[in-house]
Structure formats: C-alpha cells, structure tokens
Amino acid sequence: MRSFLPQVSLQFDVAKTVKNSVAKLVDVFVDSFFVFIDKPLLPSKSNFAPVEELREAIIVSSIQGQIPKDFPEGVYIRNGSNPLFGGLKSTNSIFGKSSHIWVEGEGMLHALYFQKSSHGAWNIIYNNKHVETETYNLEKQRNKPLFLPAAEGHSLAILFAYLLNWLRSGTVNKYLSNTNVFEHSGKFYSVAESHMPQEIDIFSLKTLNNWELSAAWNRPFASHPKKAPTTEELVIFGFSPTKPYVVVGIISADGRKLVHKVDIKLKRCSLCHDIGVTQRYNVIMDFPLTIDLMRVLRGGPLMKYDKKDYARIGVMPRYGNAESIKWFEVEPNCTFHIINSFEDGDEVVVRGCRSLDSLVPKPDPCSKEFDCLSRSYEWRLNMQTGEVKEKDLCGEKVVYMDFPMINENFVGIKHRYAYTQVVDHIASSTTQDVQKYRGLAKLYFEEEMVEKDEGIKVGYHMFEKNTYCNGAAFVARDGGVEEDDGWIITFVHNEDTNKSQVHIIDTKNFCGETVAKIEMPCRVPYGFHGAFMPILFQDQ
C-alpha cells in the first residue's frame, strides 16, 4: 500500500497537468481563430435584453388596486434566459459561423414574495438572481465567454464548437437552468433540458446543489416533470442525442429515490419538452422535432422539424416498459406544452398547444406564415379500439396561444378549465424568432359556442397596446372549492413606458378589471415559465 499510494498520486498529478496544458492550448487556439459577436437586438426585442442582478431584495410599495384578503402567502417566481456578458453570442471562425438561439442564455429567477403581517397588511418584496450552475460559475470566474455556441450555423463550426467546449471544460455545452421552476417534497428546483435540476433556497434564491438522484440517472432532466395524481410521485423524463434517446423515470413522493427507470426505445431523439400523466398512465409525445448528430456530420442542422415525418402519442402504464406502450399515430405537429391529460371511459384525452411548424429552430421558410404558432388542440385516444379523434378546440377561430396552465389540483384528472397566454401574431412577426403575448385566455372545455365551427367557449383578458405578459401562473384561492376559484398572476411589460408590473386577475371574473397591478422597481425581461409556490415565512 505504501508503494501504491505515491504511484496513484503521481498518475493523478500527471493527468491533471496534461489536462490543464490541453485546456491552455485550446484557449490560445480559440482566442486566435474565433471571434465572439453580440447578436443584434432589434428594437422590438428590447425587453428580451438581460438585466443585472440586484444586490439585495427590494420592498415593493406601489400597487394599483388591492391584493385580495384571501390571496395565499407565498412566492410568485419565474425563470428565464438572462445571458451573461451583454447578450446572446455568435462566433465567426475559419470553420464558419455558429450561434445561440433565443432559448439559450443563463437562467435568472425573478421572485415576488407575498407575506401578510399580523395586522393583515401585505408585505411584498422583489428579488432576482442567476441560477449558478457549474458552467455559469466557470464563465463568471473567467469574466468572458467560454463556450462556443453550437445550436445553429455551419455544420463544421458546430462540430468544432462541441469538440473545443469539451476540451476546455469537460462538457460540450453550457448547463442552462433557465426554463421552469417546480417543487417536490417541500424542495424547490430550477430546471431546463440540458442538465439535472438545481435546488434553490426559495427565500434567498441562492443556488444550492444539483439534484443528484443516483448514478442510475445519468442524463438531463426535461423541463416539465409531473406529479402523479393520488400518489404524488414525480414522473420525469430526459432526452439525449445518443441512445437511449428518451428515458422515463419515477421519483418517490418523498423525493429521496428513483423508483423506476425505463428506456422507451424511441428510434430518434425527439425534442420532448413535456410529458403527461393520468391516474394510471404516462403520456409521451414522439413528434418530428428532432436532434441528430449524424445529420450534422452530413452537413445538416442539429435540430430540425420535418413535417413529412411521423408523429405519435404513446400511452404507457405508470410503471410500464417500452413493450407496454400503446402508440397512436397522429397528424404531424410540434407540441411543446401539454395542457392536461386524463382518462375518460376507454379514452385517454390529451390537450395541448399544437403548431404545424416549430420556432426552434427557425420555421421552414416554405411553411405558411403562422404555422409555427400554437393553437389549443385535443387528441382522444381509444385504448380499446386504437381510434384517434383530433380537433382544434377553438374551431375555426384563428386564436394562437401557448404556455398553458391549470389548477394544479386537477393535473391528470378530468378538468373543466385551462388558461393560456394569447399570442400577438402581428407583434411576434416583427421579432422574427420569439413570441409576444398580448393577453390571457380562459378555456371552458364543457361549454361550446352556439355556432358549431366556433369550438369551445373562450374568455379573454387583454392588455393595453404594446403591453405583453409572460410567466403566467394559476393561484388557487385559500379554502376555494371550485376548480376556477382563484387568480392568474403574471409579469407584464409596457414597451411604450418601459415599465414592468405584476398583474393579478380574478379567474371568476376573468374578462373584468385587473384586481391588482403591482409596480416593479426595475425592468423585468420576458422569460419562460412561472409558478406560484405557497411557503411558510415563519420557518425561515
């Protein structure tokens, strides 16, 4: 043993020295042959620009209207892309050009805390903070861009970006924890498709540790895990550009262990962003938006939506395997977000926001102008006969919407209502590859319009001109009994005044006046998913 330990130590020192030397050589090569360029920001994209972290939380005192007395104590928190070093980058090199896409950028959490004093008055506090992943800390320490962008561009440039990133940092791309926030077993997590979730101290927004389930889960963890009805187990999934392409897992209700894991044996890497649950099943979307490394080697794009390829929905028993999945062929489409899924007799009903093209990457120039925008849609999958019934929920009305939300108590079971952000397709057309949301919609699934072709009843809450929302979430009323007893809370930005607010809308009086408008102390850029988390402040 005495002679063995020095050998091991020597081997370790040599390996470390070689690794550091390689990294330094790659640094010299990248600095010599790659030029980082800020991607231009159109005037219509001004509120997509990043903001600085606050040094400390700020008390918010300017409110139009009143916070409802029975509004729950808690935190409204939203994740989003907030790039370091001025904005998203592209690079030019001897290998060609590569660039980031709009969903990339370090994650930043924006949190608004609602705490009631002993006298019944509301104390409201705002804070923001970057999610400090390993790669965030690496670039922060170096104080300059480190990772070459690899989402779009020339195939050779993308391949060299992957290789050089790996040689310099041990990973081919950044860990961008910028998409969603969720709670499980009393702990709070930030998540995106590229890595494991990061646990967050919900009061300080400090990043704690990666959620390491076990050595068995050695892949990314997609952005929309779902709690199974009744059992409170967390159904998760993760996709990878190499086999196995998609793996489904189940985490115990107490969050301590991975109790089930299965390769569902897809034949391609579908870019799965969401998964559905019912009381007995998991619902899997295998749609033709794919990631393909071999396609890059052949000179094609890393990500591609192929409207001529097959699309199908899989219904899998909760603890099933690949052989137990019943697949249903559906019309080719791109669906990032599931509204809800549930069992209705012999049918599994899946509702989502479906488009006929994809925004990620840029839409096919041969597609119709607004094919990349989503509409509310329903699939009814008969488990006995294999029959599929598909329909646009809004009928022939041209209403584009996405980022759906429901009362979380109804996830996986039959529901009557849902809420979405309504796309301003005219304003979105000026921003090229990003969307703006001019209002909110309430969907009444059990109420159809008089005219058959008009689909279900939809109520709207629209904002004033050049004002857009993001990160909307449903907040259930304390003691509420009915499914739609609560509020929608959302960040709102007026592009004429460059002012940001948080609006609270009563879902029982959805089309009426906003209940409260909370003036934010600084600009809040547009982002992705929001959530309202009830918390106990006295437990800090």
Side-chain angles (χ1 to χ4, degrees):
M1 180 64 72
R2 290 177 181 173
S3 62
F4 175 69
L5 286 176
Q7 279 186 317
V8 172
S9 178
L10 180 61
Q11 290 172 357
F12 177 79
D13 289 342
V14 170
K16 185 176 180 181
T17 300
V18 171
K19 181 180 178 181
N20 290 339
S21 298
V22 169
K24 288 178 181 178
L25 287 172
V26 174
D27 278 346
V28 172
F29 181 81
V30 170
D31 290 343
S32 301
F33 294 101
F34 287 80
V35 178
F36 282 92
I37 304 167
D38 280 330
K39 294 187 73 174
L41 201 64
L42 300 172
S44 58
K45 291 185 177 180
S46 61
N47 196 47
F48 290 93
V51 294
E52 295 293 325
E53 276 188 0
L54 296 175
R55 294 185 178 180
E56 58 184 17
I58 300 174
I59 297 173
V60 178
S61 57
S62 179
I63 303 174
Q64 301 175 38
Q66 290 186 330
I67 309 297
K69 291 181 179 180
D70 48 357
F71 195 83
E73 286 190 308
V75 57
Y76 169 47
I77 185 168
R78 200 220 67 206
N79 211 338
S81 171
N82 199 80
L84 286 171
F85 312 122
L88 295 175
K89 308 294 182 185
S90 61
T91 57
N92 282 332
S93 72
I94 56 176
F95 307 108
K97 182 177 180 179
S98 66
S99 63
H100 288 122
I101 57 175
W102 66 276
V103 296
E104 296 183 286
E106 285 69 23
M108 177 175 274
L109 302 173
H110 298 265
L112 197 65
Y113 298 88
F114 293 82
Q115 183 179 16
K116 193 175 287 187
S117 72
S118 57
H119 304 291
W122 284 104
N123 298 318
I124 301 176
I125 295 174
Y126 168 71
N127 199 7
N128 70 19
K129 190 172 285 293
H130 272 113
V131 183
E132 297 181 354
T133 65
E134 296 100 312
T135 56
Y136 168 89
N137 288 327
L138 194 59
E139 286 199 318
K140 192 74 171 175
Q141 289 166 7
R142 292 170 64 100
N143 198 32
K144 68 175 185 178
L146 172 64
F147 288 85
L148 300 170
E152 288 185 329
H154 297 100
S155 298
L156 192 60
I158 290 173
L159 288 171
F160 268 91
Y162 277 133
L163 175 62
L164 295 171
N165 287 344
W166 180 75
L167 289 172
R168 286 212 283 184
S169 65
T171 180
V172 298
N173 215 335
K174 288 194 276 191
Y175 299 146
L176 299 171
S177 189
N178 67 8
T179 307
N180 199 8
V181 184
F182 69 94
E183 175 273 336
H184 187 60
S185 189
K187 294 184 177 181
F188 303 86
Y189 301 92
S190 171
V191 66
E193 260 77 21
S194 61
H195 193 37
M196 289 294 292
Q198 285 70 48
E199 185 181 352
I200 302 298
D201 182 321
I202 199 63
F203 298 103
S204 67
L205 301 185
K206 181 181 178 181
T207 305
L208 302 176
N209 302 310
N210 292 337
W211 190 7
E212 300 294 351
L213 292 168
S214 70
W217 191 265
N218 56 351
R219 63 179 38 242
F221 185 117
S223 296
H224 292 283
K226 295 287 172 61
K227 284 191 181 181
T230 309
T231 68
E232 294 293 296
E233 294 169 314
L234 192 69
V235 180
I236 67 173
F237 64 108
F239 63 84
S240 170
T242 58
K243 288 184 176 180
Y245 293 124
V246 177
V247 171
V248 173
I250 299 175
I251 300 173
S252 59
D254 62 12
R256 294 180 180 176
K257 58 183 178 179
L258 182 69
V259 296
H260 186 62
K261 176 187 173 185
V262 59
D263 169 14
I264 61 172
K265 298 182 180 177
L266 295 192
K267 297 178 181 179
R268 61 189 179 184
C269 177
S270 291
L271 205 166
C272 304
H273 183 67
D274 205 348
I275 192 169
V277 293
T278 72
Q279 290 180 310
R280 295 182 292 166
Y281 300 112
N282 309 319
V283 178
I284 299 149
M285 304 296 218
D286 180 14
F287 291 163
L289 174 61
T290 60
I291 295 175
D292 190 340
L293 294 175
M294 294 304 296
R295 189 165 55 215
V296 178
L297 291 172
R298 295 191 297 268
L302 176 66
M303 288 180 287
K304 181 180 179 181
Y305 175 74
D306 186 350
K307 66 181 70 177
K308 296 180 181 179
D309 207 349
Y310 66 90
R312 58 183 186 163
I313 300 175
V315 180
M316 167 188 172
R318 179 77 72 241
Y319 278 81
N321 55 26
E323 289 68 35
S324 68
I325 302 174
K326 189 174 182 65
W327 290 103
F328 296 84
E329 299 289 328
V330 298
E331 182 183 354
N333 72 92
C334 182
T335 297
F336 281 112
H337 298 122
I338 294 173
I339 297 171
N340 198 18
S341 50
F342 59 91
E343 298 164 44
D344 188 12
D346 290 338
E347 294 179 323
V348 170
V349 181
V350 184
R351 292 168 176 158
C353 293
R354 186 196 83 141
S355 66
L356 297 176
D357 205 330
S358 174
L359 274 175
V360 183
K362 294 177 182 178
D364 186 340
C366 297
S367 296
K368 294 180 181 178
E369 184 176 8
F370 298 120
D371 274 359
C372 61
L373 301 181
S374 300
R375 300 177 65 180
S376 56
Y377 204 77
E378 178 182 276
W379 298 268
R380 286 186 169 268
L381 315 173
N382 193 302
M383 297 295 289
Q384 298 301 317
T385 67
E387 182 184 11
V388 178
K389 298 176 183 175
E390 304 187 41
K391 69 175 180 180
D392 269 304
L393 288 167
C394 293
E396 295 184 359
K397 295 194 299 291
V398 180
V399 183
Y400 302 110
M401 55 184 70
D402 206 344
F403 286 82
M405 68 216 90
I406 65 171
N407 184 328
E408 291 293 313
N409 295 318
F410 289 80
V411 170
I413 62 176
K414 192 170 184 178
H415 63 129
R416 298 176 61 191
Y417 309 103
Y419 310 86
T420 63
Q421 296 176 182
V422 178
V423 179
D424 185 328
H425 59 282
I426 302 301
S428 297
S429 66
T430 67
T431 56
Q432 295 179 345
D433 55 354
V434 294
Q435 296 179 12
K436 291 183 178 180
Y437 300 90
R438 177 70 190 285
L440 299 160
K442 179 178 181 180
L443 309 181
Y444 297 76
F445 296 113
E446 296 185 0
E447 298 183 41
E448 292 192 355
M449 300 299 289
V450 176
E451 296 294 331
K452 186 177 180 181
D453 292 337
E454 291 186 4
I456 63 171
K457 177 182 174 181
V458 182
Y460 297 97
H461 185 100
M462 305 303 290
F463 303 110
E464 59 187 327
K465 185 179 178 182
N466 294 330
T467 300
Y468 307 98
C469 68
N470 67 108
F474 179 85
V475 184
R477 187 185 304 271
D478 272 347
V481 176
E482 296 181 329
E483 181 187 338
D484 64 341
D485 199 356
W487 302 269
I488 297 295
I489 187 168
T490 183
F491 283 101
V492 171
H493 185 77
N494 184 312
E495 295 190 352
D496 291 335
T497 63
N498 202 31
K499 300 287 186 181
S500 298
Q501 298 178 324
V502 165
H503 286 201
I504 298 175
I505 298 114
D506 189 335
T507 47
K508 285 287 191 182
N509 184 29
F510 190 77
C511 301
E513 293 295 318
T514 301
V515 172
K517 298 179 181 179
I518 304 167
E519 299 285 342
M520 301 305 294
C522 53
R523 181 175 68 85
V524 179
Y526 301 131
F528 304 132
H529 293 281
F532 186 88
M533 314 282 199
I535 53 177
L536 298 175
F537 289 94
Q538 60 265 32
D539 290 343
Q540 291 187 64

